[in-house]
Amino acid sequence: MILFTLRCARGHQLAGWVCDGDVFEAQQRAGEISCPECGETKVEKAVMAPRLGRFRRLALGLGVAEDPGGRP
């Protein structure tokens, strides 16, 4: 499952879980996705920052911030 951050035409942000991007595209074209706040069916993917795991960040040389307890 993929979690998309979505935004309706009225600016409300919502989350959408789908099996894959093609399923999202088909549901979007059919107007099957609607905003729970206003009912708007014009919904698009919002810009999202990628989530990188700790080991991937280290491999990319991005480092890991230390927590207050001193653990990485």
Side-chain angles (χ1 to χ4, degrees):
M1 297 291 286
I2 302 170
L3 173 63
F4 286 123
T5 300
L6 308 173
R7 180 163 291 136
C8 80
R10 296 181 182 174
H12 301 122
Q13 192 166 315
L14 53 143
W17 288 95
V18 293
C19 296
D20 60 48
D22 293 336
V23 170
F24 169 78
E25 300 293 334
Q27 289 178 334
Q28 182 187 37
R29 281 192 303 276
E32 296 174 353
I33 303 171
S34 63
C35 175
E37 279 192 58
C38 66
E40 176 67 60
T41 57
K42 185 171 188 226
V43 176
E44 298 185 357
K45 293 180 209 173
V47 176
M48 299 178 355
R51 293 185 182 177
L52 300 176
R54 177 177 182 256
F55 293 106
R56 175 145 174 137
R57 286 193 307 262
L58 288 172
L60 293 173
L62 300 176
V64 178
E66 290 189 19
D67 73 6
R71 296 179 307 257

